[in-house]
Amino acid sequence: MTLSTEGASAQQQYVFTEDGFTQGTVKNGKIARRTTIRAERYVPTIWIDPDGCEHWVMDDGFEGFMTPHVTRQGIPVCRRGNTCAVMNSDQLFATNQASINGANKKRLQEFFKSAGATAYAIEGHTDSRASDAHNLNLSQRRAQAVAQVARSVGARVVSTRGYGERVPKASNASTKGQAANRRVEIQCIR
Protein backbone atom coordinates (compact mmCIF):
# COMPACT_ATOMS: atom_id res chain seq x y z
CA MET A 1 0.00 0.00 0.00
CA THR A 2 1.33 3.46 -0.88
CA LEU A 3 0.27 6.73 0.74
CA SER A 4 1.41 10.12 -0.55
CA THR A 5 1.26 13.53 1.11
CA GLU A 6 2.17 16.70 -0.73
CA GLY A 7 3.95 19.74 0.66
CA ALA A 8 4.95 23.03 -1.00
CA SER A 9 7.94 21.68 -2.92
CA ALA A 10 8.26 18.05 -1.80
CA GLN A 11 6.07 15.01 -1.63
CA GLN A 12 6.27 12.41 1.16
CA GLN A 13 5.65 8.86 0.07
CA TYR A 14 5.05 5.96 2.46
CA VAL A 15 5.15 2.38 1.26
CA PHE A 16 3.80 -0.09 3.83
CA THR A 17 5.04 -3.66 3.72
CA GLU A 18 4.58 -6.64 6.00
CA ASP A 19 7.86 -6.01 7.82
CA GLY A 20 7.66 -2.21 8.11
CA PHE A 21 7.37 0.81 5.88
CA THR A 22 9.60 2.97 3.71
CA GLN A 23 9.35 6.73 3.89
CA GLY A 24 10.79 8.76 1.05
CA THR A 25 10.91 12.43 0.13
CA VAL A 26 10.34 13.04 -3.57
CA LYS A 27 11.51 16.36 -5.09
CA ASN A 28 11.13 17.19 -8.77
CA GLY A 29 10.22 13.59 -9.55
CA LYS A 30 13.36 12.12 -7.90
CA ILE A 31 13.74 10.46 -4.53
CA ALA A 32 15.70 12.94 -2.44
CA ARG A 33 15.76 10.96 0.80
CA ARG A 34 14.61 7.47 1.76
CA THR A 35 14.26 6.02 5.25
CA THR A 36 13.22 2.44 5.91
CA ILE A 37 11.64 1.79 9.24
CA ARG A 38 11.47 -1.85 10.25
CA ALA A 39 8.51 -2.92 12.31
CA GLU A 40 8.22 -5.86 14.61
CA ARG A 41 5.17 -8.04 14.47
CA TYR A 42 3.48 -7.73 17.86
CA VAL A 43 2.20 -10.98 19.24
CA PRO A 44 -0.34 -10.92 22.07
CA THR A 45 1.07 -12.53 25.18
CA ILE A 46 0.01 -13.66 28.63
CA TRP A 47 0.59 -11.53 31.71
CA ILE A 48 0.82 -13.27 35.09
CA ASP A 49 -0.52 -11.26 38.04
CA PRO A 50 1.21 -11.44 41.44
CA ASP A 51 -1.42 -13.97 42.55
CA GLY A 52 -0.49 -16.26 39.66
CA CYS A 53 -3.58 -15.65 37.49
CA GLU A 54 -3.22 -15.17 33.75
CA HIS A 55 -4.47 -12.33 31.54
CA TRP A 56 -4.37 -12.02 27.75
CA VAL A 57 -2.41 -8.89 26.90
CA MET A 58 -2.30 -6.86 23.69
CA ASP A 59 -0.35 -3.64 23.40
CA ASP A 60 0.21 -2.01 20.03
CA GLY A 61 2.23 0.86 21.44
CA PHE A 62 -0.71 3.24 21.53
CA GLU A 63 -3.22 1.40 23.64
CA GLY A 64 -2.89 -1.66 25.82
CA PHE A 65 -5.50 -3.90 27.31
CA MET A 66 -5.77 -7.06 29.38
CA THR A 67 -8.59 -9.55 29.66
CA PRO A 68 -8.72 -12.42 32.15
CA HIS A 69 -7.70 -15.77 30.71
CA VAL A 70 -10.53 -18.13 31.67
CA THR A 71 -11.52 -21.71 30.97
CA ARG A 72 -14.71 -22.58 29.10
CA GLN A 73 -16.45 -22.79 32.48
CA GLY A 74 -15.46 -19.17 33.21
CA ILE A 75 -12.85 -20.07 35.84
CA PRO A 76 -9.69 -17.92 35.78
CA VAL A 77 -6.55 -19.76 34.76
CA CYS A 78 -4.15 -19.40 37.67
CA ARG A 79 -0.74 -20.91 38.22
CA ARG A 80 -0.92 -22.53 41.56
CA GLY A 81 1.44 -21.27 44.16
CA ASN A 82 2.03 -22.97 47.41
CA THR A 83 -1.29 -24.00 48.95
CA CYS A 84 -0.29 -23.32 52.52
CA ALA A 85 -3.68 -23.94 54.14
CA VAL A 86 -6.92 -25.76 53.37
CA MET A 87 -9.57 -25.18 56.00
CA ASN A 88 -12.90 -26.91 56.05
CA SER A 89 -15.66 -24.29 55.84
CA ASP A 90 -17.73 -26.21 58.39
CA GLN A 91 -15.05 -25.43 60.99
CA LEU A 92 -14.97 -21.71 60.16
CA PHE A 93 -18.57 -20.86 59.27
CA ALA A 94 -22.05 -21.86 60.34
CA THR A 95 -24.20 -23.46 57.63
CA ASN A 96 -25.01 -20.99 54.85
CA GLN A 97 -23.15 -18.17 56.66
CA ALA A 98 -20.10 -16.09 55.83
CA SER A 99 -19.23 -14.63 59.24
CA ILE A 100 -16.40 -16.05 61.36
CA ASN A 101 -16.78 -16.42 65.12
CA GLY A 102 -14.21 -15.03 67.59
CA ALA A 103 -12.32 -18.28 68.24
CA ASN A 104 -11.86 -18.97 64.53
CA LYS A 105 -10.80 -15.36 63.88
CA LYS A 106 -8.09 -15.78 66.50
CA ARG A 107 -6.96 -19.07 64.91
CA LEU A 108 -6.80 -17.45 61.45
CA GLN A 109 -4.95 -14.41 62.80
CA GLU A 110 -2.30 -16.69 64.31
CA PHE A 111 -1.97 -18.51 60.99
CA PHE A 112 -1.46 -15.28 58.99
CA LYS A 113 1.06 -13.95 61.54
CA SER A 114 3.17 -17.12 61.36
CA ALA A 115 2.84 -18.20 57.69
CA GLY A 116 5.60 -15.88 56.50
CA ALA A 117 4.30 -15.29 52.97
CA THR A 118 4.64 -11.93 51.21
CA ALA A 119 1.04 -12.14 49.97
CA TYR A 120 -1.99 -14.42 49.94
CA ALA A 121 -4.66 -15.47 47.45
CA ILE A 122 -7.80 -16.74 49.15
CA GLU A 123 -10.30 -19.05 47.44
CA GLY A 124 -13.70 -20.14 48.69
CA HIS A 125 -15.42 -23.39 47.62
CA THR A 126 -18.77 -25.07 48.32
CA ASP A 127 -20.47 -28.39 47.71
CA SER A 128 -23.16 -28.71 45.04
CA ARG A 129 -26.33 -28.75 47.16
CA ALA A 130 -27.56 -25.21 46.39
CA SER A 131 -27.86 -23.36 43.07
CA ASP A 132 -24.71 -22.40 41.20
CA ALA A 133 -25.42 -18.66 41.67
CA HIS A 134 -25.98 -19.10 45.43
CA ASN A 135 -22.79 -21.17 45.80
CA LEU A 136 -20.68 -18.64 43.88
CA ASN A 137 -21.96 -15.82 46.07
CA LEU A 138 -21.49 -17.76 49.33
CA SER A 139 -17.96 -18.90 48.43
CA GLN A 140 -16.96 -15.34 47.48
CA ARG A 141 -18.34 -13.92 50.74
CA ARG A 142 -16.47 -16.57 52.73
CA ALA A 143 -13.21 -15.84 50.92
CA GLN A 144 -13.69 -12.13 51.63
CA ALA A 145 -14.34 -12.86 55.33
CA VAL A 146 -11.04 -14.77 55.60
CA ALA A 147 -9.26 -11.97 53.68
CA GLN A 148 -10.64 -9.42 56.13
CA VAL A 149 -9.10 -11.39 59.02
CA ALA A 150 -5.79 -11.54 57.13
CA ARG A 151 -5.79 -7.80 56.54
CA SER A 152 -6.59 -7.17 60.21
CA VAL A 153 -3.10 -8.48 61.11
CA GLY A 154 -1.35 -6.68 58.25
CA ALA A 155 -1.20 -9.56 55.76
CA ARG A 156 -1.29 -8.56 52.09
CA VAL A 157 -4.16 -10.20 50.19
CA VAL A 158 -3.76 -9.97 46.41
CA SER A 159 -7.01 -11.71 45.46
CA THR A 160 -10.14 -13.31 46.77
CA ARG A 161 -12.14 -15.65 44.57
CA GLY A 162 -15.27 -17.66 45.03
CA TYR A 163 -15.49 -20.79 42.89
CA GLY A 164 -18.71 -22.16 44.36
CA GLU A 165 -19.10 -25.79 43.40
CA ARG A 166 -17.05 -25.51 40.18
CA VAL A 167 -13.73 -26.88 41.49
CA PRO A 168 -14.63 -29.92 43.60
CA LYS A 169 -11.93 -31.71 45.55
CA ALA A 170 -14.05 -34.86 45.86
CA SER A 171 -17.28 -36.28 44.50
CA ASN A 172 -20.46 -34.53 45.63
CA ALA A 173 -22.28 -37.90 45.54
CA SER A 174 -21.39 -38.64 49.18
CA THR A 175 -21.63 -36.60 52.37
CA LYS A 176 -17.89 -37.16 52.95
CA GLY A 177 -17.11 -35.75 49.50
CA GLN A 178 -19.44 -32.79 50.03
CA ALA A 179 -17.69 -32.01 53.33
CA ALA A 180 -14.28 -32.06 51.58
CA ASN A 181 -15.59 -29.64 48.94
CA ARG A 182 -16.74 -27.08 51.52
CA ARG A 183 -13.39 -25.41 52.06
CA VAL A 184 -11.33 -22.25 51.97
CA GLU A 185 -7.91 -22.55 50.35
CA ILE A 186 -5.13 -20.08 51.10
CA GLN A 187 -2.36 -19.75 48.53
CA CYS A 188 0.91 -18.41 49.92
CA ILE A 189 2.95 -16.25 47.58
CA ARG A 190 6.58 -16.14 48.68
Side-chain angles (χ1 to χ4, degrees), residues 30-59:
K30 295 184 181 178
I31 297 177
R33 187 179 61 117
R34 177 182 291 204
T35 306
T36 300
I37 300 169
R38 297 268 177 228
E40 293 180 24
R41 181 178 295 272
Y42 185 82
V43 178
T45 188
I46 294 179
W47 167 270
I48 309 295
D49 273 346
D51 66 354
C53 293
E54 298 179 358
H55 297 271
W56 293 111
V57 180
M58 179 67 179
D59 185 356

PDB file of all heavy atoms in Angstrom, residues 30-59:
ATOM      1  N   LYS A  30      12.269  13.003  -8.313  1.00  0.00           N
ATOM      2  CA  LYS A  30      13.361  12.119  -7.905  1.00  0.00           C
ATOM      3  C   LYS A  30      13.308  11.923  -6.392  1.00  0.00           C
ATOM      4  O   LYS A  30      12.945  12.820  -5.650  1.00  0.00           O
ATOM      5  CB  LYS A  30      14.711  12.703  -8.294  1.00  0.00           C
ATOM      6  CG  LYS A  30      14.917  12.801  -9.779  1.00  0.00           C
ATOM      7  CD  LYS A  30      16.299  13.301 -10.068  1.00  0.00           C
ATOM      8  CE  LYS A  30      16.470  13.423 -11.569  1.00  0.00           C
ATOM      9  NZ  LYS A  30      17.771  13.944 -11.913  1.00  0.00           N
ATOM     10  N   ILE A  31      13.704  10.741  -5.959  1.00  0.00           N
ATOM     11  CA  ILE A  31      13.740  10.463  -4.527  1.00  0.00           C
ATOM     12  C   ILE A  31      14.926  11.195  -3.931  1.00  0.00           C
ATOM     13  O   ILE A  31      16.082  10.954  -4.309  1.00  0.00           O
ATOM     14  CB  ILE A  31      13.840   8.955  -4.245  1.00  0.00           C
ATOM     15  CG1 ILE A  31      12.586   8.241  -4.766  1.00  0.00           C
ATOM     16  CG2 ILE A  31      14.044   8.695  -2.761  1.00  0.00           C
ATOM     17  CD1 ILE A  31      12.624   6.742  -4.611  1.00  0.00           C
ATOM     18  N   ALA A  32      14.651  12.144  -3.065  1.00  0.00           N
ATOM     19  CA  ALA A  32      15.701  12.941  -2.441  1.00  0.00           C
ATOM     20  C   ALA A  32      16.227  12.270  -1.178  1.00  0.00           C
ATOM     21  O   ALA A  32      17.410  12.380  -0.854  1.00  0.00           O
ATOM     22  CB  ALA A  32      15.162  14.332  -2.112  1.00  0.00           C
ATOM     23  N   ARG A  33      15.353  11.601  -0.444  1.00  0.00           N
ATOM     24  CA  ARG A  33      15.763  10.964   0.801  1.00  0.00           C
ATOM     25  C   ARG A  33      14.847   9.772   1.053  1.00  0.00           C
ATOM     26  O   ARG A  33      13.642   9.858   0.849  1.00  0.00           O
ATOM     27  CB  ARG A  33      15.640  11.946   1.961  1.00  0.00           C
ATOM     28  CG  ARG A  33      16.193  11.425   3.267  1.00  0.00           C
ATOM     29  CD  ARG A  33      16.052  12.478   4.337  1.00  0.00           C
ATOM     30  NE  ARG A  33      14.639  12.793   4.519  1.00  0.00           N
ATOM     31  CZ  ARG A  33      13.973  12.592   5.646  1.00  0.00           C
ATOM     32  NH1 ARG A  33      14.580  12.138   6.687  1.00  0.00           N
ATOM     33  NH2 ARG A  33      12.704  12.891   5.730  1.00  0.00           N
ATOM     34  N   ARG A  34      15.409   8.660   1.479  1.00  0.00           N
ATOM     35  CA  ARG A  34      14.609   7.469   1.757  1.00  0.00           C
ATOM     36  C   ARG A  34      15.007   6.927   3.120  1.00  0.00           C
ATOM     37  O   ARG A  34      16.192   6.810   3.427  1.00  0.00           O
ATOM     38  CB  ARG A  34      14.864   6.413   0.692  1.00  0.00           C
ATOM     39  CG  ARG A  34      14.114   5.122   0.969  1.00  0.00           C
ATOM     40  CD  ARG A  34      14.417   4.099  -0.059  1.00  0.00           C
ATOM     41  NE  ARG A  34      13.804   4.539  -1.297  1.00  0.00           N
ATOM     42  CZ  ARG A  34      13.456   3.750  -2.277  1.00  0.00           C
ATOM     43  NH1 ARG A  34      13.677   2.468  -2.181  1.00  0.00           N
ATOM     44  NH2 ARG A  34      12.905   4.213  -3.362  1.00  0.00           N
ATOM     45  N   THR A  35      14.032   6.620   3.944  1.00  0.00           N
ATOM     46  CA  THR A  35      14.261   6.025   5.254  1.00  0.00           C
ATOM     47  C   THR A  35      13.384   4.795   5.372  1.00  0.00           C
ATOM     48  O   THR A  35      12.171   4.865   5.159  1.00  0.00           O
ATOM     49  CB  THR A  35      13.870   7.001   6.388  1.00  0.00           C
ATOM     50  OG1 THR A  35      14.557   8.224   6.175  1.00  0.00           O
ATOM     51  CG2 THR A  35      14.213   6.438   7.740  1.00  0.00           C
ATOM     52  N   THR A  36      13.986   3.666   5.700  1.00  0.00           N
ATOM     53  CA  THR A  36      13.217   2.442   5.906  1.00  0.00           C
ATOM     54  C   THR A  36      13.104   2.206   7.399  1.00  0.00           C
ATOM     55  O   THR A  36      14.106   2.210   8.115  1.00  0.00           O
ATOM     56  CB  THR A  36      13.898   1.236   5.233  1.00  0.00           C
ATOM     57  OG1 THR A  36      13.979   1.504   3.832  1.00  0.00           O
ATOM     58  CG2 THR A  36      13.095  -0.031   5.464  1.00  0.00           C
ATOM     59  N   ILE A  37      11.906   2.039   7.821  1.00  0.00           N
ATOM     60  CA  ILE A  37      11.644   1.791   9.241  1.00  0.00           C
ATOM     61  C   ILE A  37      11.124   0.369   9.363  1.00  0.00           C
ATOM     62  O   ILE A  37      10.098   0.024   8.792  1.00  0.00           O
ATOM     63  CB  ILE A  37      10.621   2.804   9.792  1.00  0.00           C
ATOM     64  CG1 ILE A  37      11.182   4.211   9.626  1.00  0.00           C
ATOM     65  CG2 ILE A  37      10.294   2.493  11.247  1.00  0.00           C
ATOM     66  CD1 ILE A  37      10.196   5.304   9.877  1.00  0.00           C
ATOM     67  N   ARG A  38      11.863  -0.454  10.069  1.00  0.00           N
ATOM     68  CA  ARG A  38      11.472  -1.849  10.253  1.00  0.00           C
ATOM     69  C   ARG A  38      10.512  -1.944  11.429  1.00  0.00           C
ATOM     70  O   ARG A  38      10.715  -1.339  12.473  1.00  0.00           O
ATOM     71  CB  ARG A  38      12.691  -2.722  10.543  1.00  0.00           C
ATOM     72  CG  ARG A  38      13.660  -2.754   9.431  1.00  0.00           C
ATOM     73  CD  ARG A  38      13.358  -3.913   8.513  1.00  0.00           C
ATOM     74  NE  ARG A  38      14.285  -3.882   7.398  1.00  0.00           N
ATOM     75  CZ  ARG A  38      13.908  -4.008   6.151  1.00  0.00           C
ATOM     76  NH1 ARG A  38      12.656  -4.202   5.864  1.00  0.00           N
ATOM     77  NH2 ARG A  38      14.782  -3.965   5.187  1.00  0.00           N
ATOM     78  N   ALA A  39       9.493  -2.721  11.243  1.00  0.00           N
ATOM     79  CA  ALA A  39       8.511  -2.923  12.306  1.00  0.00           C
ATOM     80  C   ALA A  39       8.610  -4.355  12.802  1.00  0.00           C
ATOM     81  O   ALA A  39       8.991  -5.253  12.063  1.00  0.00           O
ATOM     82  CB  ALA A  39       7.101  -2.650  11.780  1.00  0.00           C
ATOM     83  N   GLU A  40       8.284  -4.526  14.052  1.00  0.00           N
ATOM     84  CA  GLU A  40       8.216  -5.865  14.612  1.00  0.00           C
ATOM     85  C   GLU A  40       6.761  -6.279  14.655  1.00  0.00           C
ATOM     86  O   GLU A  40       5.885  -5.474  14.942  1.00  0.00           O
ATOM     87  CB  GLU A  40       8.774  -5.879  16.036  1.00  0.00           C
ATOM     88  CG  GLU A  40      10.248  -5.614  16.110  1.00  0.00           C
ATOM     89  CD  GLU A  40      10.747  -5.647  17.542  1.00  0.00           C
ATOM     90  OE1 GLU A  40      10.100  -6.287  18.387  1.00  0.00           O
ATOM     91  OE2 GLU A  40      11.770  -5.012  17.801  1.00  0.00           O
ATOM     92  N   ARG A  41       6.531  -7.527  14.370  1.00  0.00           N
ATOM     93  CA  ARG A  41       5.168  -8.038  14.471  1.00  0.00           C
ATOM     94  C   ARG A  41       4.870  -8.237  15.954  1.00  0.00           C
ATOM     95  O   ARG A  41       5.603  -8.927  16.657  1.00  0.00           O
ATOM     96  CB  ARG A  41       5.028  -9.353  13.719  1.00  0.00           C
ATOM     97  CG  ARG A  41       3.615  -9.923  13.780  1.00  0.00           C
ATOM     98  CD  ARG A  41       3.526 -11.189  12.976  1.00  0.00           C
ATOM     99  NE  ARG A  41       3.744 -10.923  11.558  1.00  0.00           N
ATOM    100  CZ  ARG A  41       2.770 -10.594  10.722  1.00  0.00           C
ATOM    101  NH1 ARG A  41       1.536 -10.488  11.145  1.00  0.00           N
ATOM    102  NH2 ARG A  41       3.032 -10.366   9.452  1.00  0.00           N
ATOM    103  N   TYR A  42       3.818  -7.592  16.439  1.00  0.00           N
ATOM    104  CA  TYR A  42       3.478  -7.733  17.858  1.00  0.00           C
ATOM    105  C   TYR A  42       2.578  -8.939  18.045  1.00  0.00           C
ATOM    106  O   TYR A  42       1.584  -9.099  17.354  1.00  0.00           O
ATOM    107  CB  TYR A  42       2.774  -6.482  18.396  1.00  0.00           C
ATOM    108  CG  TYR A  42       2.557  -6.599  19.875  1.00  0.00           C
ATOM    109  CD1 TYR A  42       3.572  -6.306  20.768  1.00  0.00           C
ATOM    110  CD2 TYR A  42       1.367  -7.090  20.388  1.00  0.00           C
ATOM    111  CE1 TYR A  42       3.410  -6.466  22.117  1.00  0.00           C
ATOM    112  CE2 TYR A  42       1.190  -7.253  21.741  1.00  0.00           C
ATOM    113  CZ  TYR A  42       2.227  -6.938  22.594  1.00  0.00           C
ATOM    114  OH  TYR A  42       2.055  -7.110  23.940  1.00  0.00           O
ATOM    115  N   VAL A  43       2.959  -9.772  18.955  1.00  0.00           N
ATOM    116  CA  VAL A  43       2.197 -10.976  19.242  1.00  0.00           C
ATOM    117  C   VAL A  43       1.582 -10.824  20.627  1.00  0.00           C
ATOM    118  O   VAL A  43       2.301 -10.544  21.590  1.00  0.00           O
ATOM    119  CB  VAL A  43       3.112 -12.218  19.195  1.00  0.00           C
ATOM    120  CG1 VAL A  43       2.336 -13.469  19.530  1.00  0.00           C
ATOM    121  CG2 VAL A  43       3.778 -12.330  17.839  1.00  0.00           C
ATOM    122  N   PRO A  44       0.261 -10.983  20.743  1.00  0.00           N
ATOM    123  CA  PRO A  44      -0.343 -10.925  22.070  1.00  0.00           C
ATOM    124  C   PRO A  44       0.316 -11.957  22.985  1.00  0.00           C
ATOM    125  O   PRO A  44       0.750 -13.008  22.533  1.00  0.00           O
ATOM    126  CB  PRO A  44      -1.815 -11.278  21.819  1.00  0.00           C
ATOM    127  CG  PRO A  44      -2.028 -11.007  20.380  1.00  0.00           C
ATOM    128  CD  PRO A  44      -0.713 -11.262  19.702  1.00  0.00           C
ATOM    129  N   THR A  45       0.393 -11.640  24.246  1.00  0.00           N
ATOM    130  CA  THR A  45       1.070 -12.527  25.184  1.00  0.00           C
ATOM    131  C   THR A  45       0.209 -12.720  26.422  1.00  0.00           C
ATOM    132  O   THR A  45      -0.898 -12.221  26.490  1.00  0.00           O
ATOM    133  CB  THR A  45       2.457 -11.944  25.534  1.00  0.00           C
ATOM    134  OG1 THR A  45       3.173 -12.905  26.298  1.00  0.00           O
ATOM    135  CG2 THR A  45       2.342 -10.653  26.317  1.00  0.00           C
ATOM    136  N   ILE A  46       0.734 -13.425  27.380  1.00  0.00           N
ATOM    137  CA  ILE A  46       0.007 -13.664  28.630  1.00  0.00           C
ATOM    138  C   ILE A  46       0.760 -12.981  29.755  1.00  0.00           C
ATOM    139  O   ILE A  46       1.977 -13.116  29.883  1.00  0.00           O
ATOM    140  CB  ILE A  46      -0.138 -15.168  28.910  1.00  0.00           C
ATOM    141  CG1 ILE A  46      -1.038 -15.794  27.843  1.00  0.00           C
ATOM    142  CG2 ILE A  46      -0.700 -15.417  30.298  1.00  0.00           C
ATOM    143  CD1 ILE A  46      -1.238 -17.274  27.992  1.00  0.00           C
ATOM    144  N   TRP A  47       0.043 -12.221  30.542  1.00  0.00           N
ATOM    145  CA  TRP A  47       0.588 -11.528  31.714  1.00  0.00           C
ATOM    146  C   TRP A  47       0.182 -12.335  32.941  1.00  0.00           C
ATOM    147  O   TRP A  47      -0.970 -12.749  33.067  1.00  0.00           O
ATOM    148  CB  TRP A  47      -0.007 -10.126  31.782  1.00  0.00           C
ATOM    149  CG  TRP A  47       0.234  -9.425  33.078  1.00  0.00           C
ATOM    150  CD1 TRP A  47      -0.555  -9.447  34.183  1.00  0.00           C
ATOM    151  CD2 TRP A  47       1.341  -8.583  33.400  1.00  0.00           C
ATOM    152  NE1 TRP A  47      -0.012  -8.675  35.176  1.00  0.00           N
ATOM    153  CE2 TRP A  47       1.157  -8.131  34.712  1.00  0.00           C
ATOM    154  CE3 TRP A  47       2.461  -8.168  32.694  1.00  0.00           C
ATOM    155  CZ2 TRP A  47       2.062  -7.290  35.342  1.00  0.00           C
ATOM    156  CZ3 TRP A  47       3.354  -7.336  33.329  1.00  0.00           C
ATOM    157  CH2 TRP A  47       3.146  -6.907  34.639  1.00  0.00           C
ATOM    158  N   ILE A  48       1.108 -12.548  33.853  1.00  0.00           N
ATOM    159  CA  ILE A  48       0.822 -13.266  35.094  1.00  0.00           C
ATOM    160  C   ILE A  48       0.779 -12.254  36.227  1.00  0.00           C
ATOM    161  O   ILE A  48       1.760 -11.560  36.490  1.00  0.00           O
ATOM    162  CB  ILE A  48       1.899 -14.329  35.405  1.00  0.00           C
ATOM    163  CG1 ILE A  48       2.156 -15.235  34.200  1.00  0.00           C
ATOM    164  CG2 ILE A  48       1.517 -15.133  36.635  1.00  0.00           C
ATOM    165  CD1 ILE A  48       1.008 -16.078  33.784  1.00  0.00           C
ATOM    166  N   ASP A  49      -0.374 -12.153  36.892  1.00  0.00           N
ATOM    167  CA  ASP A  49      -0.519 -11.262  38.037  1.00  0.00           C
ATOM    168  C   ASP A  49       0.271 -11.804  39.228  1.00  0.00           C
ATOM    169  O   ASP A  49       0.636 -12.974  39.249  1.00  0.00           O
ATOM    170  CB  ASP A  49      -1.998 -11.148  38.434  1.00  0.00           C
ATOM    171  CG  ASP A  49      -2.713 -10.058  37.662  1.00  0.00           C
ATOM    172  OD1 ASP A  49      -2.045  -9.234  37.026  1.00  0.00           O
ATOM    173  OD2 ASP A  49      -3.950 -10.025  37.709  1.00  0.00           O
ATOM    174  N   PRO A  50       0.480 -10.964  40.259  1.00  0.00           N
ATOM    175  CA  PRO A  50       1.212 -11.440  41.436  1.00  0.00           C
ATOM    176  C   PRO A  50       0.562 -12.645  42.105  1.00  0.00           C
ATOM    177  O   PRO A  50       1.233 -13.443  42.742  1.00  0.00           O
ATOM    178  CB  PRO A  50       1.192 -10.229  42.384  1.00  0.00           C
ATOM    179  CG  PRO A  50       1.046  -9.060  41.488  1.00  0.00           C
ATOM    180  CD  PRO A  50       0.196  -9.531  40.340  1.00  0.00           C
ATOM    181  N   ASP A  51      -0.763 -12.812  41.937  1.00  0.00           N
ATOM    182  CA  ASP A  51      -1.418 -13.966  42.547  1.00  0.00           C
ATOM    183  C   ASP A  51      -1.359 -15.204  41.663  1.00  0.00           C
ATOM    184  O   ASP A  51      -1.913 -16.235  41.998  1.00  0.00           O
ATOM    185  CB  ASP A  51      -2.870 -13.642  42.914  1.00  0.00           C
ATOM    186  CG  ASP A  51      -3.749 -13.372  41.707  1.00  0.00           C
ATOM    187  OD1 ASP A  51      -3.226 -13.319  40.574  1.00  0.00           O
ATOM    188  OD2 ASP A  51      -4.965 -13.212  41.894  1.00  0.00           O
ATOM    189  N   GLY A  52      -0.671 -15.108  40.514  1.00  0.00           N
ATOM    190  CA  GLY A  52      -0.493 -16.265  39.656  1.00  0.00           C
ATOM    191  C   GLY A  52      -1.544 -16.431  38.578  1.00  0.00           C
ATOM    192  O   GLY A  52      -1.493 -17.374  37.802  1.00  0.00           O
ATOM    193  N   CYS A  53      -2.514 -15.513  38.477  1.00  0.00           N
ATOM    194  CA  CYS A  53      -3.580 -15.649  37.490  1.00  0.00           C
ATOM    195  C   CYS A  53      -3.186 -14.983  36.178  1.00  0.00           C
ATOM    196  O   CYS A  53      -2.516 -13.962  36.154  1.00  0.00           O
ATOM    197  CB  CYS A  53      -4.884 -15.083  38.033  1.00  0.00           C
ATOM    198  SG  CYS A  53      -5.479 -16.072  39.415  1.00  0.00           S
ATOM    199  N   GLU A  54      -3.625 -15.600  35.084  1.00  0.00           N
ATOM    200  CA  GLU A  54      -3.224 -15.170  33.754  1.00  0.00           C
ATOM    201  C   GLU A  54      -4.206 -14.174  33.146  1.00  0.00           C
ATOM    202  O   GLU A  54      -5.407 -14.249  33.398  1.00  0.00           O
ATOM    203  CB  GLU A  54      -3.124 -16.377  32.824  1.00  0.00           C
ATOM    204  CG  GLU A  54      -2.084 -17.387  33.244  1.00  0.00           C
ATOM    205  CD  GLU A  54      -2.021 -18.593  32.326  1.00  0.00           C
ATOM    206  OE1 GLU A  54      -2.826 -18.675  31.369  1.00  0.00           O
ATOM    207  OE2 GLU A  54      -1.164 -19.457  32.567  1.00  0.00           O
ATOM    208  N   HIS A  55      -3.672 -13.278  32.318  1.00  0.00           N
ATOM    209  CA  HIS A  55      -4.472 -12.333  31.545  1.00  0.00           C
ATOM    210  C   HIS A  55      -3.920 -12.305  30.130  1.00  0.00           C
ATOM    211  O   HIS A  55      -2.704 -12.335  29.932  1.00  0.00           O
ATOM    212  CB  HIS A  55      -4.392 -10.913  32.130  1.00  0.00           C
ATOM    213  CG  HIS A  55      -4.940 -10.802  33.500  1.00  0.00           C
ATOM    214  ND1 HIS A  55      -6.254 -10.519  33.748  1.00  0.00           N
ATOM    215  CD2 HIS A  55      -4.360 -10.970  34.705  1.00  0.00           C
ATOM    216  CE1 HIS A  55      -6.450 -10.495  35.048  1.00  0.00           C
ATOM    217  NE2 HIS A  55      -5.315 -10.768  35.654  1.00  0.00           N
ATOM    218  N   TRP A  56      -4.809 -12.239  29.128  1.00  0.00           N
ATOM    219  CA  TRP A  56      -4.371 -12.019  27.754  1.00  0.00           C
ATOM    220  C   TRP A  56      -4.001 -10.551  27.643  1.00  0.00           C
ATOM    221  O   TRP A  56      -4.714  -9.685  28.108  1.00  0.00           O
ATOM    222  CB  TRP A  56      -5.483 -12.330  26.760  1.00  0.00           C
ATOM    223  CG  TRP A  56      -5.864 -13.765  26.682  1.00  0.00           C
ATOM    224  CD1 TRP A  56      -7.042 -14.313  27.098  1.00  0.00           C
ATOM    225  CD2 TRP A  56      -5.100 -14.849  26.163  1.00  0.00           C
ATOM    226  NE1 TRP A  56      -7.048 -15.654  26.870  1.00  0.00           N
ATOM    227  CE2 TRP A  56      -5.867 -16.019  26.302  1.00  0.00           C
ATOM    228  CE3 TRP A  56      -3.828 -14.931  25.600  1.00  0.00           C
ATOM    229  CZ2 TRP A  56      -5.402 -17.252  25.875  1.00  0.00           C
ATOM    230  CZ3 TRP A  56      -3.378 -16.172  25.181  1.00  0.00           C
ATOM    231  CH2 TRP A  56      -4.166 -17.311  25.327  1.00  0.00           C
ATOM    232  N   VAL A  57      -2.873 -10.265  27.002  1.00  0.00           N
ATOM    233  CA  VAL A  57      -2.408  -8.890  26.898  1.00  0.00           C
ATOM    234  C   VAL A  57      -2.156  -8.550  25.442  1.00  0.00           C
ATOM    235  O   VAL A  57      -1.574  -9.331  24.708  1.00  0.00           O
ATOM    236  CB  VAL A  57      -1.090  -8.697  27.687  1.00  0.00           C
ATOM    237  CG1 VAL A  57      -0.604  -7.268  27.579  1.00  0.00           C
ATOM    238  CG2 VAL A  57      -1.272  -9.082  29.132  1.00  0.00           C
ATOM    239  N   MET A  58      -2.610  -7.386  25.016  1.00  0.00           N
ATOM    240  CA  MET A  58      -2.303  -6.860  23.690  1.00  0.00           C
ATOM    241  C   MET A  58      -1.915  -5.414  23.869  1.00  0.00           C
ATOM    242  O   MET A  58      -2.606  -4.655  24.535  1.00  0.00           O
ATOM    243  CB  MET A  58      -3.525  -6.979  22.776  1.00  0.00           C
ATOM    244  CG  MET A  58      -3.310  -6.441  21.395  1.00  0.00           C
ATOM    245  SD  MET A  58      -2.109  -7.456  20.527  1.00  0.00           S
ATOM    246  CE  MET A  58      -2.077  -6.651  18.965  1.00  0.00           C
ATOM    247  N   ASP A  59      -0.791  -5.024  23.308  1.00  0.00           N
ATOM    248  CA  ASP A  59      -0.347  -3.644  23.398  1.00  0.00           C
ATOM    249  C   ASP A  59       0.307  -3.288  22.073  1.00  0.00           C
ATOM    250  O   ASP A  59       1.353  -3.813  21.722  1.00  0.00           O
ATOM    251  CB  ASP A  59       0.648  -3.474  24.541  1.00  0.00           C
ATOM    252  CG  ASP A  59       1.044  -2.032  24.761  1.00  0.00           C
ATOM    253  OD1 ASP A  59       0.613  -1.168  23.975  1.00  0.00           O
ATOM    254  OD2 ASP A  59       1.780  -1.769  25.705  1.00  0.00           O
TER     255      ASP A  59
END
